[in-house]
């Protein structure tokens, strides 16, 4: 596995260089004030994307789980107050960290990697590259290095001066949410059904803990019976490490077939009723519209990759702070002090 990760990590800076050259060809002219733009750092920090890619690649080589963790940070940041790096703030003064929320507590990780990237960027281009843009770039690079699609990342986000643990608890889709609830949470962010099904494809990499799906194994609807939409043999394989009580910290691959490869296997698992989370399997069982998209992506990885990349750009545009709003933090874990 480390050999594979090392090879992938070595390719990331090259892949980013290709993406950046494409963005140069696709867009020309001066960067507009208050707008996200792939060229935002062309003059102020031209090496920014290469610095991010290099450190993300090293982190992935050292820990193959890190790619999924960095990708998840971008999701959990953007769904709360927009893509403004509020998730990165530690508790201090009036700030109650989003890291303490139910979706993030004991599961959000990768903060040390972001710290390392920020330190390198501050050394190269002091006070220039935002923590929010670091998270957006790291998510793209993590997808590329695990075999997924690349996309041109619009840049110029600024960093929030506050956090919202309430927003983190309420706005991020939960593993046991119903499909209508998940659809509503995406819609509130300006994301549609295609975005929802494509973006949940990020579960092709990464892990989940036992409490996130325990009810499916033992008592899905309160009648003491397991979830009937979960494959019986898969459920039997999960139970030894996810008992009725205990084992809360045990990790399970979201995609046990190709757990470290970004591909369309996630959707094939769902078609086999082997989606780990209820929020995964409900994409097939909860609606013909989402079910048809699951079938499409399971059959055609190229279309999944295309839709995923488009939806990641769309998600990255959720309520960014630009222009004179927010700040460029010197340290991603705390706001600046004048």
């Amino acid at each position: 596995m480390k050999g594979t990760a090392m090879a992938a990590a070595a390719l990331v800076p090259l892949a980013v260089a290709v993406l950046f050259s494409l963005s140069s060809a696709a867009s020309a002219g001066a960067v507009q004030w208050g707008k996200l733009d792939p060229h935002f750092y062309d003059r102020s920090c031209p090496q920014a994307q290469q610095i991010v890619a290099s450190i993300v690649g090293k982190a992935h080589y050292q820990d193959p789980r890190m790619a999924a963790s960095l990708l998840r940070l971008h999701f959990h940041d953007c769904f709360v107050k927009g893509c403004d790096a509020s998730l990165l703030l530690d508790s201090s003064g009036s700030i109650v960290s989003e890291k303490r929320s139910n979706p993030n507590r004991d599961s959000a990780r990768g903060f040390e990697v972001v710290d390392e990237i920020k330190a390198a960027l501050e050394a190269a281009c002091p006070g220039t590259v935002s923590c929010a843009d670091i998270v957006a770039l790291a998510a793209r690079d993590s997808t590329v290095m695990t075999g997924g699609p690349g996309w041109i990342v619009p840049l110029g986000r600024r960093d929030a001066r506050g956090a919202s643990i309430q927003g983190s608890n309420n706005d991020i889709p939960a593993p046991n949410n119903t499909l209508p609830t998940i659809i509503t949470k995406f819609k509130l962010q300006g994301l549609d059904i295609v975005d929802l099904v494509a973006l949940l494809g990020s579960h092709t990499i990464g892990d989940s803990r036992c409490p996130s799906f325990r009810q499916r194994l033992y008592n899905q609807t309160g009648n003491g019976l397991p979830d009937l939409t979960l494959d019986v043999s898969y459920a039997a394989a999960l139970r030894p490490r996810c008992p009725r009580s205990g084992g809360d910290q045990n990790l399970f691959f979201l995609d046990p077939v190709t757990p470290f490869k970004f591909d369309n296997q996630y959707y094939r698992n769902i078609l086999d009723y082997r989606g780990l989370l209820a929020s995964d399997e409900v994409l097939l069982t909860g609606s013909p519209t989402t079910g048809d998209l699951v079938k499409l992506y399971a059959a055609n990885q190229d279309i999944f990759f295309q839709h995923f990349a488009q939806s990641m750009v769309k998600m990255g545009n959720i309520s960014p702070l630009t222009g004179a709003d927010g700040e460029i933090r010197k340290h991603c874990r705390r706001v600046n002090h004048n």
Side-chain angles (χ1 to χ4, degrees), residues 172-192:
I172 296 172
N176 58 351
N177 280 160
T178 64
L179 183 58
T181 297
I182 297 170
I183 290 172
T184 297
K185 288 183 176 182
F186 272 76
K187 187 175 181 179
L188 289 172
Q189 306 296 343
L191 301 173
D192 60 26

Side-chain angles (χ1 to χ4, degrees), residues 256-285:
V257 181
T258 55
F260 297 105
K261 183 180 180 183
F262 197 103
D263 56 19
N264 66 339
Q265 183 62 48
Y266 165 78
Y267 299 103
R268 297 178 181 180
N269 295 341
I270 291 174
L271 292 181
D272 291 335
Y273 298 97
R274 287 173 171 253
L276 182 64
L277 306 179
S279 55
D280 296 327
E281 197 59 50
V282 77
L283 296 179
L284 177 65
T285 63

Side-chain angles (χ1 to χ4, degrees), residues 54-276:
S54 176
I55 295 174
V56 170
K58 183 184 73 171
H60 178 56
Y61 168 62
Q62 294 173 341
D63 177 5
R65 289 181 57 213
M66 189 53 68
S69 297
L70 292 172
L71 183 54
R72 186 170 184 257
L73 284 185
H74 191 36
F75 278 80
H76 284 209
D77 180 40
C78 290
F79 266 75
V80 183
K81 296 169 65 260
C83 308
D84 60 3
S86 60
L87 172 56
L88 305 182
L89 290 170
D90 288 338
S91 294
S92 64
S94 62
I95 295 173
V96 179
S97 178
E98 293 170 20
K99 298 173 186 178
R100 296 183 178 183
S101 72
N102 292 329
N104 295 323
R105 188 175 57 247
D106 298 326
S107 63
R109 58 196 295 272
F111 301 109
E112 294 80 7
V113 177
V114 175
D115 291 341
E116 184 178 352
I117 295 170
K118 182 59 174 174
L121 287 168
E122 285 298 305
C125 318
T128 302
V129 181
S130 69
C131 301
D133 278 345
I134 290 172
V135 173
L137 288 168
R140 189 271 309 277
D141 296 347
S142 294
T143 303
V144 171
M145 75 176 54
T146 49
W151 58 91
I152 296 164
V153 180
L155 299 166
R157 300 167 189 81
R158 289 168 65 84
D159 300 324
R161 294 190 175 100
S164 175
I165 189 170
Q166 181 179 5
S168 187
N169 278 324
N170 294 336
D171 298 341
I172 296 172
N176 58 351
N177 280 160
T178 64
L179 183 58
T181 297
I182 297 170
I183 290 172
T184 297
K185 288 183 176 182
F186 272 76
K187 187 175 181 179
L188 289 172
Q189 306 296 343
L191 301 173
D192 60 26
I193 294 289
V194 173
D195 300 318
L196 187 163
V197 181
L199 290 173
L200 283 184
S202 61
H203 288 179
T204 183
I205 55 175
D207 309 276
S208 185
R209 285 180 167 81
C210 176
S212 296
F213 61 89
R214 175 183 279 126
Q215 82 285 350
R216 301 192 72 203
L217 301 179
Y218 302 104
N219 191 23
Q220 174 67 4
T221 60
N223 60 1
L225 297 175
D227 189 340
L228 298 178
T229 68
L230 180 63
D231 178 78
V232 173
S233 61
Y234 185 38
L238 294 169
R239 287 191 185 98
R241 295 184 57 243
C242 187
R244 290 180 182 272
S245 62
D248 286 4
Q249 298 305 311
N250 290 342
L251 291 171
F252 297 79
F253 293 131
L254 288 163
D255 168 17
V257 181
T258 55
F260 297 105
K261 183 180 180 183
F262 197 103
D263 56 19
N264 66 339
Q265 183 62 48
Y266 165 78
Y267 299 103
R268 297 178 181 180
N269 295 341
I270 291 174
L271 292 181
D272 291 335
Y273 298 97
R274 287 173 171 253
L276 182 64

